[in-house]
Amino acid sequence: MVDLDKLRTVAKETVSRDDVKYLIGWSQGTFGYRVSPHFVKTPQEVDSLTFSPLCSNNLATYLTLTEKLPVPRGEEPDTRKVALMVKGCDSRAVVQQLIEQGITREQVYIIGCPCQGVVDLQKVDEKLGEGVEPAQASWENGQISFQLPDGKTEAFPREDVLADKCITCRYPNPVLSDILLWDEVEVWGSDDYEDVKELDSKSPEEKWAFWQDKFSSCIRCYSCRNVCPMCYCEDCILDRLNPTWMFRSNNVVENTAFQVARAFHLAGRCIECGECERVCPVDIPLMKINRKLYKEVREKYEFEPGLDPESKPLQASYRPDDEEDFIL
Amino acid sequence: MNDKFEPNIVAFLCNWCSYAGADLAGTSRIQYPANLNIIRVMCTGRVNPLFVLNAFQQGADGVLVSGCHPGDCHYMEGNYYARRRFTLMRELLEYVGVDPRRFHMSWVSASEGAKWKEVVEEVVENAKAVGPFDQFRRNKINW
Amino acid sequence: MNNKPRIGVYVCHCGINIAKTVEIDPVTEYASQLPNVKVARNYSYMCSDPGQLLIREDIEKEGLNRIVVASCSPRMHELTFRKTLAEAGLNPYFLEMANIREQCSWVHEDVEEATAKARKLVASSVAKARLLEPLEEKEVDVEPATLVIGGGIAGIQAALDIANAGFKVYMVEKTPSVGGTMAQLDKTFPTLDCSACILTPKMVDVASHPNIELMTYSQVEEITGYVGNFEVKVRKKARYIDMEKCTGCGICAEECRLKNRIPSEFDVGVGKRSAVYLPFPQAVPAKYTVDPERCLFLTRGKCGESPKCADACPSQAFDFEQADEMVEFKVGAVIVATGFDVFDASRKPEYGYADYDNVLTALEMERLVSASGPTGGKIVLGKGDEAYTPKDIAFIKCVGSRDESVGNEYCSRGCCMYTAKLAHLVHEKIPDANVRIYYMDVRAFGKGFEEFYDRVRREGVRYIRGNPSEIFKRGDKLVIKVEDTLTAKALEDEVDLVVLAVGLEPRKDVREIIDLLRLSQSGDRFFLEAHPKLAPVDTATDGVYLAGCAQGPKDIPDTVAQAKGAASSALILLSSGKVKVQAQIAIVNEATCRSCGYCVEICPYGAIEMVEANRMGHIVSVARVNEALCKGCGACVAGCFSGSIQQKSFKDAQILPQLAVLGVK
């Protein structure tokens, strides 16, 4: 069970360590049900840390993102560890980054938070209306209970408000951690990719129409890319000008190319944290496309990313007997 | 589909097997449709799957990637990597509604001039059957 | 020099090869309108001296800095035109070719279509040419040594030639002795020299040559590296006999409890050997080998009280504890002379090879007529009291050759003549024999072949044109069912002995060599040469050459000629001492490298490593390419998500414009 005292104690101990630069966790946000990432540098700050069904953010993104800041002239780079709080899915992002050498194991101290699933704010908004004042939530006996600003409490069955990725989640417990904050939770999810299969069974014209409808609303804000813990290129080729792989102009042809290319770059790398879909301001079902490739990779190559730090990256390996039914 | 429609196909051929196979088809005067234009690369391993997207955007109605048979790659492993990459790209394209008849991959060795003709014919026929791919073309902008 | 592109486009007529289906003038005119094109011309043969002169003059007069030649395949003339550019002082990699012959004029009949396609191909080449960059051709030293794989006549000849030229040779032979198939033959056609007599001196030369290191009963395990610098690992299999001590006296083989119980490989099963053996009397090296699969002591750990062979050995050469030994060395060139397998006649069940003792393959017959063979050269069938000398003898040609049903469409080239030779030898040994040869065609194409064929016919050998359909037993005789296709008569021919003139096939273990060296196979499954006419001993892998039947069926003179060719090719490399390495290699933009290391994993040559770099104060690891190891495949390039690794002359920025041109309808 979630033990916030334990979480804060461990956080305090961790940030006190000489070899830790800072800790990244979650803290109560300032708007509605939102939780924000929190960079803790001193023991005094730990009290604002929290863990709840609202902690959707995959903080592993910051492992590669923050390092992009230049070191001021005359200063040495701070090579101390980053302590990171991770849910099951987040830990897989860390593992995949380890596989890809985006970080080294010594650079990160992983604080594992076994997770019972986070909410989909859209589902919550539908039930409770869009809140403005900060509110909180917690897991309680198979339900998720919301403590509203007016003091009232409302509880819903988990499956009613959980994010879709959590309903099918098979890895709620961190796959890799230096310390686990509480007991592992029982795995509830299984995934047969029904949503992907359903779309797959349609005709090319129907599929094209479905995605054109979605991609036409893409505003190319690149939120999906920026939030993704696996998209850590210094310079993304999808908005690079020389050479121009695709135009930045916002029209459905370029948007389609962008989204297909983005999904392709995540093939065998996406760890299904669902952050891209969560942050998309125009509600493109991005996980539907990522999950398609996840399914194919799992079925064809018996590979799941972000589980074994020693595994070889899917797109940098092969088996001589890989299937090739379609090849003439 | 329109009988007069002549599809425009872009093909990436590896230098050692398929390009040589296509050369052999020429030396043997094997006739095949003129709808396909070849870009020579040293190995199918060089072909970035995103080239396929770009080809469609630039106006291709079909794309072919052809290399050495498994085990015969001049560079030992390039075609194996290509096979994985294009298996995934093909699944992805099909999933977003690109008719699978628009994208093909083939193994054509340096001695398979006759097979090259068959591959070209199949690729062209397939692209003819699905028709022009204007929806993905860059110059026909669909705001 | 490398400022604004000034492109020259040269459209070749290739006589009428291109001009017949591609309208040259409109293509030239079209090319002249393309961006950055300063000059567009056409000429009957661009590859000719005047054609090349045209380019050189334009480079000088017009200040051209990029050249597009629209002609034949770059696989044909890219090097020719690169030289042209270099002669005019232009970097040779400022060349781009449009293949409007093999991939346009020769494969399309419709002039309009072919012309339109040629235009597009030219435009695509121009689009790429605008963005070409000068490349540097670097040189690396060549290790002055050669690996010869296979110790048959091809390997022997190549090794001797190279060694005589003063270079080190490592010869690796799988079996315990050099000699190969030629050592098994009795006489050679058409001169009837004794095969062993002409071969054994060369075998001895190989073993005693100061420049040749002979490794028999050994296998190449691994070859890495590149032309001029191959690293070779060889497994010297344990012989369980100390090579230094063994005198070759043969007492051990006499004492072996399995004496005369194991079919001899050399005598293709016609004769028998012991578990410790010398493959044949003239074997080189003349050292015994214990067969680990047959030896009782090695397979069961027990051989009577103690192994009699070891006890009897006067020089205490036995060492049953001996282990395989791994040897590593560097060579600059590799010659593949791995030979062939004879066709397995049981794959033609209608000829009863597996069923009847008196159906033999030609190689078995060869051992039977050989003076050094198990019968001492007497043609005798059956054993003991049942032994008899066959009188009616039939040869059947093209068994396993020119036969699509067994997957061999090719002619094995030697069978016609060795059949004639064996027929002659039979006549010599059994003067009253009736010999007939069933044939499809007689191909007597070589020097002295036709004369020999005539001679054999004059000696009374009957040639009957027909392909037997079945062989079965009737009483003591074998019956050959066949239609004489010249008289259209169905025959049933009763004979005492049938000899199947089996063809040549690629070795069953050909895959091992393919995996070692990345060789390709041609349609007949033999190794593919770089060019069937102009580079018949080269392969697609630089520094690797072919000799003998590994490349295709051959008789002995052709094998020796090709071995000398392969030796000469290797010597060119070794004696120049330098080799140019790939210029079109991968290069990393360290500023955008995402450190993921995919390229390191992907590279088949281990040419990429991660090194530390400073990026805005942070120490990051970035990929770096070892230029000598990179072969320029580009597999890393397509695997790089950030486009940070690019292949020179095949950069994304150079290919994307080609796509833009080809996409236009």
Side-chain angles (χ1 to χ4, degrees), chain C residues 587-610:
Chain C
I587 180 168
V588 178
N589 178 357
E590 294 185 359
T592 57
C593 173
R594 72 205 293 268
S595 319
C596 67
Y598 274 40
C599 51
V600 179
E601 295 277 358
I602 289 170
C603 180
Y605 302 98
I608 311 177
E609 57 178 350
M610 300 303 289

PDB file of all heavy atoms in Angstrom, chain C residues 587-610:
ATOM      1  N   ILE C 587      30.320   8.178 -41.920  1.00  0.00           N
ATOM      2  CA  ILE C 587      30.950   9.226 -41.130  1.00  0.00           C
ATOM      3  C   ILE C 587      29.914   9.748 -40.133  1.00  0.00           C
ATOM      4  O   ILE C 587      28.725   9.821 -40.441  1.00  0.00           O
ATOM      5  CB  ILE C 587      31.481  10.346 -42.052  1.00  0.00           C
ATOM      6  CG1 ILE C 587      32.141  11.438 -41.229  1.00  0.00           C
ATOM      7  CG2 ILE C 587      30.378  10.927 -42.931  1.00  0.00           C
ATOM      8  CD1 ILE C 587      32.918  12.412 -42.081  1.00  0.00           C
ATOM      9  N   VAL C 588      30.368  10.079 -38.926  1.00  0.00           N
ATOM     10  CA  VAL C 588      29.440  10.457 -37.857  1.00  0.00           C
ATOM     11  C   VAL C 588      29.462  11.964 -37.634  1.00  0.00           C
ATOM     12  O   VAL C 588      30.529  12.576 -37.612  1.00  0.00           O
ATOM     13  CB  VAL C 588      29.821   9.745 -36.534  1.00  0.00           C
ATOM     14  CG1 VAL C 588      28.893  10.160 -35.402  1.00  0.00           C
ATOM     15  CG2 VAL C 588      29.801   8.241 -36.706  1.00  0.00           C
ATOM     16  N   ASN C 589      28.300  12.533 -37.497  1.00  0.00           N
ATOM     17  CA  ASN C 589      28.193  13.910 -37.029  1.00  0.00           C
ATOM     18  C   ASN C 589      28.101  13.842 -35.509  1.00  0.00           C
ATOM     19  O   ASN C 589      27.043  13.582 -34.948  1.00  0.00           O
ATOM     20  CB  ASN C 589      26.947  14.568 -37.629  1.00  0.00           C
ATOM     21  CG  ASN C 589      26.767  15.995 -37.134  1.00  0.00           C
ATOM     22  OD1 ASN C 589      27.543  16.468 -36.292  1.00  0.00           O
ATOM     23  ND2 ASN C 589      25.766  16.679 -37.642  1.00  0.00           N
ATOM     24  N   GLU C 590      29.226  14.071 -34.861  1.00  0.00           N
ATOM     25  CA  GLU C 590      29.280  13.862 -33.413  1.00  0.00           C
ATOM     26  C   GLU C 590      28.394  14.853 -32.656  1.00  0.00           C
ATOM     27  O   GLU C 590      27.973  14.585 -31.536  1.00  0.00           O
ATOM     28  CB  GLU C 590      30.735  13.935 -32.925  1.00  0.00           C
ATOM     29  CG  GLU C 590      31.565  12.791 -33.478  1.00  0.00           C
ATOM     30  CD  GLU C 590      32.983  12.749 -32.931  1.00  0.00           C
ATOM     31  OE1 GLU C 590      33.328  13.629 -32.130  1.00  0.00           O
ATOM     32  OE2 GLU C 590      33.734  11.838 -33.320  1.00  0.00           O
ATOM     33  N   ALA C 591      28.086  15.974 -33.282  1.00  0.00           N
ATOM     34  CA  ALA C 591      27.290  16.997 -32.592  1.00  0.00           C
ATOM     35  C   ALA C 591      25.853  16.543 -32.382  1.00  0.00           C
ATOM     36  O   ALA C 591      25.196  16.967 -31.440  1.00  0.00           O
ATOM     37  CB  ALA C 591      27.307  18.297 -33.381  1.00  0.00           C
ATOM     38  N   THR C 592      25.341  15.679 -33.261  1.00  0.00           N
ATOM     39  CA  THR C 592      23.944  15.267 -33.113  1.00  0.00           C
ATOM     40  C   THR C 592      23.809  13.813 -32.688  1.00  0.00           C
ATOM     41  O   THR C 592      22.704  13.338 -32.463  1.00  0.00           O
ATOM     42  CB  THR C 592      23.157  15.476 -34.421  1.00  0.00           C
ATOM     43  OG1 THR C 592      23.813  14.743 -35.458  1.00  0.00           O
ATOM     44  CG2 THR C 592      23.071  16.934 -34.801  1.00  0.00           C
ATOM     45  N   CYS C 593      24.907  13.104 -32.583  1.00  0.00           N
ATOM     46  CA  CYS C 593      24.859  11.679 -32.206  1.00  0.00           C
ATOM     47  C   CYS C 593      24.142  11.527 -30.877  1.00  0.00           C
ATOM     48  O   CYS C 593      24.427  12.233 -29.917  1.00  0.00           O
ATOM     49  CB  CYS C 593      26.269  11.115 -32.107  1.00  0.00           C
ATOM     50  SG  CYS C 593      26.335   9.428 -31.461  1.00  0.00           S
ATOM     51  N   ARG C 594      23.183  10.580 -30.818  1.00  0.00           N
ATOM     52  CA  ARG C 594      22.372  10.441 -29.608  1.00  0.00           C
ATOM     53  C   ARG C 594      22.943   9.383 -28.663  1.00  0.00           C
ATOM     54  O   ARG C 594      22.277   8.980 -27.712  1.00  0.00           O
ATOM     55  CB  ARG C 594      20.935  10.116 -29.980  1.00  0.00           C
ATOM     56  CG  ARG C 594      20.752   8.699 -30.497  1.00  0.00           C
ATOM     57  CD  ARG C 594      19.531   8.590 -31.390  1.00  0.00           C
ATOM     58  NE  ARG C 594      18.285   8.778 -30.696  1.00  0.00           N
ATOM     59  CZ  ARG C 594      17.546   7.801 -30.157  1.00  0.00           C
ATOM     60  NH1 ARG C 594      17.961   6.565 -30.201  1.00  0.00           N
ATOM     61  NH2 ARG C 594      16.411   8.060 -29.587  1.00  0.00           N
ATOM     62  N   SER C 595      24.125   8.898 -28.945  1.00  0.00           N
ATOM     63  CA  SER C 595      24.838   7.965 -28.055  1.00  0.00           C
ATOM     64  C   SER C 595      24.169   6.608 -27.913  1.00  0.00           C
ATOM     65  O   SER C 595      24.529   5.851 -27.030  1.00  0.00           O
ATOM     66  CB  SER C 595      25.008   8.525 -26.631  1.00  0.00           C
ATOM     67  OG  SER C 595      25.327   9.873 -26.659  1.00  0.00           O
ATOM     68  N   CYS C 596      23.189   6.295 -28.733  1.00  0.00           N
ATOM     69  CA  CYS C 596      22.427   5.080 -28.457  1.00  0.00           C
ATOM     70  C   CYS C 596      23.203   3.822 -28.797  1.00  0.00           C
ATOM     71  O   CYS C 596      22.868   2.738 -28.323  1.00  0.00           O
ATOM     72  CB  CYS C 596      21.098   5.086 -29.197  1.00  0.00           C
ATOM     73  SG  CYS C 596      21.237   4.979 -30.980  1.00  0.00           S
ATOM     74  N   GLY C 597      24.220   3.944 -29.641  1.00  0.00           N
ATOM     75  CA  GLY C 597      25.049   2.783 -29.928  1.00  0.00           C
ATOM     76  C   GLY C 597      24.411   1.766 -30.864  1.00  0.00           C
ATOM     77  O   GLY C 597      24.925   0.667 -31.033  1.00  0.00           O
ATOM     78  N   TYR C 598      23.289   2.115 -31.484  1.00  0.00           N
ATOM     79  CA  TYR C 598      22.675   1.187 -32.436  1.00  0.00           C
ATOM     80  C   TYR C 598      23.655   0.849 -33.557  1.00  0.00           C
ATOM     81  O   TYR C 598      23.756  -0.283 -33.998  1.00  0.00           O
ATOM     82  CB  TYR C 598      21.397   1.794 -33.042  1.00  0.00           C
ATOM     83  CG  TYR C 598      20.145   1.585 -32.225  1.00  0.00           C
ATOM     84  CD1 TYR C 598      20.174   1.694 -30.834  1.00  0.00           C
ATOM     85  CD2 TYR C 598      18.934   1.269 -32.821  1.00  0.00           C
ATOM     86  CE1 TYR C 598      19.025   1.506 -30.081  1.00  0.00           C
ATOM     87  CE2 TYR C 598      17.781   1.070 -32.081  1.00  0.00           C
ATOM     88  CZ  TYR C 598      17.829   1.201 -30.710  1.00  0.00           C
ATOM     89  OH  TYR C 598      16.695   1.000 -29.969  1.00  0.00           O
ATOM     90  N   CYS C 599      24.355   1.871 -34.046  1.00  0.00           N
ATOM     91  CA  CYS C 599      25.278   1.653 -35.163  1.00  0.00           C
ATOM     92  C   CYS C 599      26.377   0.667 -34.775  1.00  0.00           C
ATOM     93  O   CYS C 599      26.794  -0.160 -35.586  1.00  0.00           O
ATOM     94  CB  CYS C 599      25.870   2.972 -35.625  1.00  0.00           C
ATOM     95  SG  CYS C 599      26.573   3.970 -34.297  1.00  0.00           S
ATOM     96  N   VAL C 600      26.814   0.743 -33.523  1.00  0.00           N
ATOM     97  CA  VAL C 600      27.874  -0.164 -33.067  1.00  0.00           C
ATOM     98  C   VAL C 600      27.370  -1.603 -33.123  1.00  0.00           C
ATOM     99  O   VAL C 600      28.066  -2.515 -33.573  1.00  0.00           O
ATOM    100  CB  VAL C 600      28.315   0.201 -31.634  1.00  0.00           C
ATOM    101  CG1 VAL C 600      29.383  -0.754 -31.145  1.00  0.00           C
ATOM    102  CG2 VAL C 600      28.806   1.635 -31.577  1.00  0.00           C
ATOM    103  N   GLU C 601      26.123  -1.778 -32.672  1.00  0.00           N
ATOM    104  CA  GLU C 601      25.529  -3.116 -32.697  1.00  0.00           C
ATOM    105  C   GLU C 601      25.334  -3.598 -34.129  1.00  0.00           C
ATOM    106  O   GLU C 601      25.518  -4.770 -34.443  1.00  0.00           O
ATOM    107  CB  GLU C 601      24.149  -3.096 -32.009  1.00  0.00           C
ATOM    108  CG  GLU C 601      24.184  -2.784 -30.529  1.00  0.00           C
ATOM    109  CD  GLU C 601      24.493  -4.010 -29.682  1.00  0.00           C
ATOM    110  OE1 GLU C 601      24.634  -5.102 -30.261  1.00  0.00           O
ATOM    111  OE2 GLU C 601      24.603  -3.860 -28.457  1.00  0.00           O
ATOM    112  N   ILE C 602      24.914  -2.691 -34.996  1.00  0.00           N
ATOM    113  CA  ILE C 602      24.549  -3.069 -36.361  1.00  0.00           C
ATOM    114  C   ILE C 602      25.776  -3.412 -37.192  1.00  0.00           C
ATOM    115  O   ILE C 602      25.761  -4.374 -37.958  1.00  0.00           O
ATOM    116  CB  ILE C 602      23.736  -1.929 -37.029  1.00  0.00           C
ATOM    117  CG1 ILE C 602      22.343  -1.835 -36.392  1.00  0.00           C
ATOM    118  CG2 ILE C 602      23.633  -2.154 -38.529  1.00  0.00           C
ATOM    119  CD1 ILE C 602      21.558  -0.605 -36.816  1.00  0.00           C
ATOM    120  N   CYS C 603      26.848  -2.651 -37.070  1.00  0.00           N
ATOM    121  CA  CYS C 603      27.972  -2.787 -38.008  1.00  0.00           C
ATOM    122  C   CYS C 603      28.478  -4.231 -38.075  1.00  0.00           C
ATOM    123  O   CYS C 603      28.922  -4.788 -37.072  1.00  0.00           O
ATOM    124  CB  CYS C 603      29.128  -1.877 -37.608  1.00  0.00           C
ATOM    125  SG  CYS C 603      30.508  -2.038 -38.754  1.00  0.00           S
ATOM    126  N   PRO C 604      28.439  -4.835 -39.271  1.00  0.00           N
ATOM    127  CA  PRO C 604      28.900  -6.217 -39.392  1.00  0.00           C
ATOM    128  C   PRO C 604      30.416  -6.332 -39.294  1.00  0.00           C
ATOM    129  O   PRO C 604      30.943  -7.441 -39.218  1.00  0.00           O
ATOM    130  CB  PRO C 604      28.428  -6.639 -40.782  1.00  0.00           C
ATOM    131  CG  PRO C 604      27.588  -5.531 -41.312  1.00  0.00           C
ATOM    132  CD  PRO C 604      27.912  -4.294 -40.535  1.00  0.00           C
ATOM    133  N   TYR C 605      31.118  -5.225 -39.348  1.00  0.00           N
ATOM    134  CA  TYR C 605      32.578  -5.283 -39.394  1.00  0.00           C
ATOM    135  C   TYR C 605      33.229  -4.771 -38.106  1.00  0.00           C
ATOM    136  O   TYR C 605      34.449  -4.633 -38.051  1.00  0.00           O
ATOM    137  CB  TYR C 605      33.094  -4.486 -40.586  1.00  0.00           C
ATOM    138  CG  TYR C 605      32.515  -4.996 -41.873  1.00  0.00           C
ATOM    139  CD1 TYR C 605      31.423  -4.388 -42.455  1.00  0.00           C
ATOM    140  CD2 TYR C 605      33.037  -6.144 -42.468  1.00  0.00           C
ATOM    141  CE1 TYR C 605      30.863  -4.896 -43.614  1.00  0.00           C
ATOM    142  CE2 TYR C 605      32.484  -6.659 -43.614  1.00  0.00           C
ATOM    143  CZ  TYR C 605      31.396  -6.021 -44.187  1.00  0.00           C
ATOM    144  OH  TYR C 605      30.842  -6.545 -45.319  1.00  0.00           O
ATOM    145  N   GLY C 606      32.412  -4.451 -37.120  1.00  0.00           N
ATOM    146  CA  GLY C 606      32.974  -3.906 -35.892  1.00  0.00           C
ATOM    147  C   GLY C 606      33.753  -2.626 -36.143  1.00  0.00           C
ATOM    148  O   GLY C 606      34.749  -2.344 -35.481  1.00  0.00           O
ATOM    149  N   ALA C 607      33.308  -1.852 -37.140  1.00  0.00           N
ATOM    150  CA  ALA C 607      34.068  -0.678 -37.548  1.00  0.00           C
ATOM    151  C   ALA C 607      33.705   0.567 -36.743  1.00  0.00           C
ATOM    152  O   ALA C 607      34.326   1.610 -36.914  1.00  0.00           O
ATOM    153  CB  ALA C 607      33.861  -0.411 -39.040  1.00  0.00           C
ATOM    154  N   ILE C 608      32.672   0.470 -35.901  1.00  0.00           N
ATOM    155  CA  ILE C 608      32.234   1.664 -35.165  1.00  0.00           C
ATOM    156  C   ILE C 608      32.443   1.426 -33.677  1.00  0.00           C
ATOM    157  O   ILE C 608      32.181   0.344 -33.163  1.00  0.00           O
ATOM    158  CB  ILE C 608      30.740   1.970 -35.438  1.00  0.00           C
ATOM    159  CG1 ILE C 608      30.478   1.954 -36.948  1.00  0.00           C
ATOM    160  CG2 ILE C 608      30.347   3.317 -34.834  1.00  0.00           C
ATOM    161  CD1 ILE C 608      29.034   2.163 -37.323  1.00  0.00           C
ATOM    162  N   GLU C 609      32.950   2.439 -33.014  1.00  0.00           N
ATOM    163  CA  GLU C 609      33.080   2.336 -31.560  1.00  0.00           C
ATOM    164  C   GLU C 609      32.573   3.621 -30.928  1.00  0.00           C
ATOM    165  O   GLU C 609      32.457   4.647 -31.585  1.00  0.00           O
ATOM    166  CB  GLU C 609      34.537   2.083 -31.163  1.00  0.00           C
ATOM    167  CG  GLU C 609      35.478   3.147 -31.677  1.00  0.00           C
ATOM    168  CD  GLU C 609      36.910   2.923 -31.229  1.00  0.00           C
ATOM    169  OE1 GLU C 609      37.133   2.058 -30.379  1.00  0.00           O
ATOM    170  OE2 GLU C 609      37.798   3.629 -31.732  1.00  0.00           O
ATOM    171  N   MET C 610      32.247   3.524 -29.622  1.00  0.00           N
ATOM    172  CA  MET C 610      31.794   4.706 -28.919  1.00  0.00           C
ATOM    173  C   MET C 610      33.008   5.360 -28.257  1.00  0.00           C
ATOM    174  O   MET C 610      33.825   4.678 -27.632  1.00  0.00           O
ATOM    175  CB  MET C 610      30.767   4.336 -27.833  1.00  0.00           C
ATOM    176  CG  MET C 610      29.506   3.639 -28.338  1.00  0.00           C
ATOM    177  SD  MET C 610      28.572   4.549 -29.578  1.00  0.00           S
ATOM    178  CE  MET C 610      27.901   5.883 -28.598  1.00  0.00           C
TER     179      MET C 610
END
